[in-house]
Each structure stands twice: as structure tokens, then as C-alpha cells.
Amino acid sequence: MPAIVLVGTQWGDEGKGKATDLLGGSVDYVVKFNGGNNAGHTVVIEDQTYALHLLPSGILTPGVIPVIGNGVVVDLGVLIEELDALEARGVDTSHLRISANAHVIPPYNRVLDKVTERFLGQRRLGTTGRGIGPTYADKMSRVGIRVQDLYDQSILRQKIEASLQVKNQVLLKIYNRRAVEVDEVLAELLLHAERIRPMVTDTGLCLNQALDAGKTVLFEAGQATLLDVDHGTYPFVTSSNATSGGACTGSGVAPTRIDRVIGILKAYSTRVGEGLFPTELHDDSGEFLRKTGAEYGTTTGRPRRCGWLDTVVGRYARRVNGLTDVVLTKLDVLTGLETVPICVAYDVQGTKHEEMPVNQSDVHHAKPIYEELPGWREDISACRSFEELPANAQAYVLRVEELIGTRISAIGVGPGRTETIQRFGLLGD
Ligand code: GDP
Ligand code: IMO
Ligand code: MG
């Protein structure tokens, strides 16, 4: 029975939440394995719109067991807010499981994230300000606080004290901010500890046992390939592994157990925050994509930077993640264009690159080489089979498939759960 990883192939916001929700009915577990409440997934089910940040999108499907894996960083206050908001709307959240090894985001890391960005000025990364970077840095520096520490108060106090010895120096002496009290941090972290205690468990064991019992497990990435700390456009990345390998380290399920990797590819590109973006548009076409695609951040409300589809990025995502399937989302947004440009390669100072240049300065100088495909004017949002799409839209999909080198198994033609064309089975059928 399959273990399936679902990843973003670009800079995030490709429609991972909708794709997870779509698969929800066919899987038993949905695992968030990286990131935290920097993610923002919008899921539309009939007339209801849900915005999820920390919880896996699978929580919306009755019967699915949602799991927060060890690779996630958890803001406990946000977790409780999200759970309460969903419960108030009639969503049963009682099956949530949280890894005892997941790290928590202490309040001082939210402060540090924001003040560091301000301090960087022009050189800022454009983070979401949620404390993600400092919390992963603490994890790697071995001064982080884990969910299991909440249940041993003397250990918790010791860890906070040790952390604050350094953090308070930084806050006071570098950023001219007030020092943080140990008791203040303890109080915030313990506020909801008892409420979540029944959910805290060895999620790695639980997922392996589920796979042994023939259950289907879906691993849902936050962020995306080019925001991955190792494989993305460093340093303009998030601080976790958002690529398929992260599903293993972030959950305790081994690579030998993964059967399929689904890449979510938006029919054009967007990026929130700073960093390179070869196909970015600064003209009316960019505005068209932003308006038509409603490209404003789910988490921070920031307008997303927009550009044409970049298949150099797509091929890179195929390689890094080992994609078996692609879900092409938001094809409907391209309706009405005279021609639809696809970036097929980069021109870097006279040299053609079909693969992502390893040297980032080259990517900075990359000029996209476009292929122009004829557009279509027909409304495609009611299409439910590939054959119903206008001929030019079909040709566009087939060309993208050829350029990425991975079959396009589903196509999004609108935000709603049912606004999807299924071409091939995503679960390997
Ligand atoms: P995620 O972070 O990858 O889950 O993506 P977001 O939820 O941040 O952004 C994707 C947005 O596009 C959401 O508002 C979705 O409701 C919407 N969406 C997803 N698929 C489609 C599609 O095929 N067509 C259209 N028009 N909207 C879509
Ligand atoms: P989903 O899961 C788009 C971006 C931020 C910033 C950089 C680092 O919805 O696709 P961080 O707060 O993580 O330290 O910020 O990463 N970023 C995202 N961009 N979608 C996301 O998530 C993102 N999560 C982080 O804008 O540029
Ligand atoms: Mg998003």
C-alpha cells in the first residue's frame, strides 16, 4: 500500500492544499513533515473556504488521521487557534497526532525573526515573521525545545534558561530590545500543554505501523523545491527541507517505503518575499496573472510576484524530488491570453542552459528563452476530461509534460474540489 509524497515544484502556493484535499478521500493519514505556520493553504469545499497554516490539509477529510511530524516547528498558540476555528466550523480535529520530537516555536524566536529582518534592511529575506528560521537554527544548534519537553517542567525550565542566556544578549545588545523572562516563556509554552497531551505520540512508529497494516499515507510538504534550504535559491529560502527527502527525515519513515512523489506545478510562476525569479514579469502580463489568479498570500496577504511558467525550474524539481506525477494547477488562469509563453531554457551571457545552473550568479543573469504557444479563449472551468479542453489548452499541457519529462496526471481548472481533470490515477493506479 502506498506512501505518497506531495511537494511544491516552484516557490510555494502551487495549490498543494487543494491537491491534498482532493486525495483525502483515498488516503488514511496525511502528514505535514516540514515548516510550520509560514505555510498557507487555501482549500475550497463547495461554498466553504478554509485557510490552513499549521495543520495538514487532510484534516478537512472525515476519517483521515492528520499528523504533525517531527520535522515541523509548532507554534502552540497558532495550533490551538486553528483547532478551535475548525471545531467551530464543525470539523472534527480529535484524531490529530503530534510528534513528541517536533520542535516548538518559543515567543523569543518570533521576535528575533522580525527584528533580524528589520536589521537586514535591503538585504532582508522577506520571511513570514513567524519565527521559523530562528527555531530551525536552534534545532541545528541543539538548543531547541521539543514538544516532549513540555511534559517535564524542570527540563523545560533548564532549556529555556540556557537558550535565554544567549537570546537575551542578542535581543538587548544587538537589537536594543527588552530581555525576555524565563517565567513568561514557560507560561506561554505550558498554556496549552495539557490540552494537546493526548495527541502527542511517537508519530514515526505510528506511521510505520500504519504502512505495515496496509494503510495509505500521504506526506504533504509545506513550501516548495526552490524554497528548500539545501536545494532552493539560498539564502532566499525557508529553513527546512521541503523536497521529497524531507518527508523521510521529517516523519521517521524510510526512503525505501516511499512509492510515489507527486509534484504540484502551477501553470505559471509566483514567489512571495525576496530572491531571484528569472521569469518574473513587471508589466501588464504580471498584473493579469496576479488579478486573474488572485495571487495574494494566504499567510501574510502580500501580493505575490508573478511570471510565466519556467520549465528549467520544473525539470530541476523533477530531478530533486524524483517526481512520478505532476498535478498542473490553475490552467484556467491562462484562459484569454493570445499566446502562452513557456520558459524552456535560460540564456546566461550567451550560453544556453536547459538545466538549472549550479552557480547562482548565473541564475541571476539568466534571460528566459521562451516558446510561445497559441492561447485559448473558451472557459475551461467546467471541463472534467482532457478531451473536453480546447485543442490549444491540450497542446499546452502536452508540451509542458514533454518539457518536464513527467506525466501530468491531473489538471486544475478552478479552486473548487471538483474543478479538476483527472488523467491518470495519482495513487499509482
Ligand atoms: P498551497 O500553499 O500550495 O496550498 O497553495 P495556496 O493555497 O497558497 O495557493 C493556491 C491558491 O490557488 C488557493 O487560493 C487555491 O484555492 C487556488 N487554486 C488551487 N488550484 C486551483 C486551480 O486549478 N484554479 C484556480 N483558479 N485556483 C486554484
Ligand atoms: P506554502 O506552503 C510561499 C517564503 C517567505 C520568504 C521565505 C522565508 O503556502 O507554499 P520563512 O518565514 O519560511 O522563514 O520565510 O519563504 N515562504 C513561502 N512562500 N509559500 C509558502 O508556503 C511559504 N513559506 C515561506 O515568503 O520568502
Ligand atoms: Mg500557500
Side-chain angles (χ1 to χ4, degrees):
M1 273 296 161
I4 306 136
V5 183
L6 188 149
V7 293
T9 60
Q10 296 152 311
W11 283 278
D13 306 322
E14 297 91 349
K16 297 178 291 294
K18 180 191 154 181
T20 301
D21 176 61
L22 194 69
L23 290 170
S26 320
V27 306
D28 302 299
Y29 290 75
V30 174
V31 187
K32 180 177 168 98
F33 61 82
N34 76 304
N37 57 317
N38 47 348
H41 308 301
T42 302
V43 179
V44 183
I45 305 172
E46 288 161 12
D47 61 345
Q48 296 286 312
T49 300
Y50 299 88
L52 297 165
H53 298 283
L54 183 52
L55 294 169
S57 306
I59 202 157
L60 299 174
T61 311
V64 164
I65 299 181
V67 177
I68 291 182
N70 58 276
V72 174
V73 289
V74 180
D75 186 317
L76 296 163
V78 171
L79 175 68
I80 297 299
E81 253 173 55
E82 250 180 62
L83 288 173
D84 285 347
L86 287 179
E87 285 286 341
R89 294 175 71 178
V91 177
D92 177 11
T93 64
S94 63
H95 300 295
L96 178 67
R97 306 216 177 140
I98 304 168
S99 169
N101 287 345
H103 282 241
V104 297
I105 303 181
Y108 45 80
N109 281 346
R110 289 197 301 266
V111 177
L112 279 169
D113 191 358
K114 291 190 189 113
V115 292
T116 310
E117 282 282 277
R118 225 170 293 151
F119 193 75
L120 283 171
Q122 290 280 349
R123 291 181 295 117
R124 71 183 178 278
L125 305 179
T127 73
T128 59
R130 304 298 196 255
I132 305 294
T135 302
Y136 278 113
D138 283 358
K139 173 176 171 173
M140 292 308 177
S141 303
R142 296 160 293 183
V143 293
I145 296 166
R146 297 192 292 174
V147 169
Q148 59 180 285
D149 300 329
L150 303 177
Y151 306 105
D152 185 332
Q153 285 202 28
S154 81
I155 293 275
L156 181 61
R157 178 176 282 278
Q158 281 173 35
K159 289 196 172 183
I160 296 171
E161 273 169 359
S163 190
L164 284 183
Q165 268 186 353
V166 179
K167 301 276 178 182
N168 273 339
Q169 298 292 325
V170 175
L171 282 169
L172 275 167
K173 295 187 178 153
I174 301 179
Y175 297 118
N176 199 24
R177 304 284 294 211
R178 78 173 176 87
V180 180
E181 301 287 340
V182 178
D183 286 333
E184 190 185 325
V185 178
L186 251 180
E188 182 182 314
L189 296 184
L190 289 176
L191 188 61
H192 305 293
E194 283 314 309
R195 170 144 171 217
I196 64 164
R197 194 198 273 262
M199 303 173 183
V200 177
T201 185
D202 182 346
T203 48
L205 177 64
C206 144
L207 291 169
N208 277 285
Q209 286 174 338
L211 287 167
D212 290 343
K215 305 284 186 198
T216 302
V217 178
L218 178 67
F219 298 88
E220 180 199 17
Q223 295 75 52
T225 304
L226 293 198
L227 290 175
D228 181 288
V229 67
D230 282 278
H231 302 290
T233 48
Y234 191 89
F236 298 98
V237 292
T238 190
S239 299
S240 68
N241 285 115
T243 46
S244 59
C248 295
T249 49
S251 72
V253 170
T256 45
R257 303 209 79 157
I258 306 295
D259 299 286
R260 308 199 70 76
V261 183
I262 302 170
I264 312 302
L265 177 76
K266 186 147 62 178
Y268 51 95
S269 309
T270 62
R271 172 158 211 175
V272 205
E274 309 302 319
L276 59 81
F277 182 178
T279 63
E280 182 171 14
L281 295 162
H282 297 283
D283 57 8
D284 290 349
S285 300
E287 200 47 42
F288 169 84
L289 292 172
R290 191 172 305 112
K291 282 233 169 68
T292 320
E295 295 296 350
Y296 297 88
T298 314
T299 300
T300 57
R302 289 179 286 180
R304 295 175 181 151
R305 298 156 65 194
C306 295
W308 299 124
L309 179 66
D310 184 339
T311 61
V312 179
V313 165
R315 279 191 292 279
Y316 179 67
R318 180 196 64 174
R319 163 158 59 97
V320 172
N321 295 291
L323 300 182
T324 57
D325 297 83
V326 164
V327 175
L328 183 69
T329 62
K330 300 190 111 168
L331 185 64
D332 54 302
V333 174
L334 301 183
T335 300
L337 294 167
E338 202 62 46
T339 59
V340 190
I342 304 177
C343 168
V344 294
Y346 298 150
D347 175 341
V348 181
Q349 289 163 334
T351 305
K352 186 175 172 185
H353 288 254
E354 286 181 348
E355 294 296 332
M356 182 69 79
V358 67
N359 188 337
Q360 203 151 304
S361 312
D362 286 345
V363 191
H364 267 290
H365 294 117
K367 289 201 181 63
I369 300 173
Y370 287 111
E371 198 173 286
E372 301 271 342
L373 270 68
W376 58 92
R377 298 208 163 272
E378 303 87 334
D379 180 356
I380 62 169
S381 59
C383 295
R384 293 294 175 269
S385 71
F386 185 66
E387 292 68 35
E388 284 171 62
L389 286 173
N392 286 350
Q394 289 188 21
Y396 174 83
V397 173
L398 294 176
R399 183 65 182 134
V400 174
E401 186 169 72
E402 186 175 35
L403 286 162
I404 307 280
T406 307
R407 69 180 193 174
I408 293 178
S409 299
I411 301 158
V413 292
R417 192 185 252 183
T418 57
E419 289 173 309
T420 309
I421 294 172
Q422 303 257 14
R423 275 181 87 205
F424 307 111
L426 283 165
L427 304 182
D429 34 338

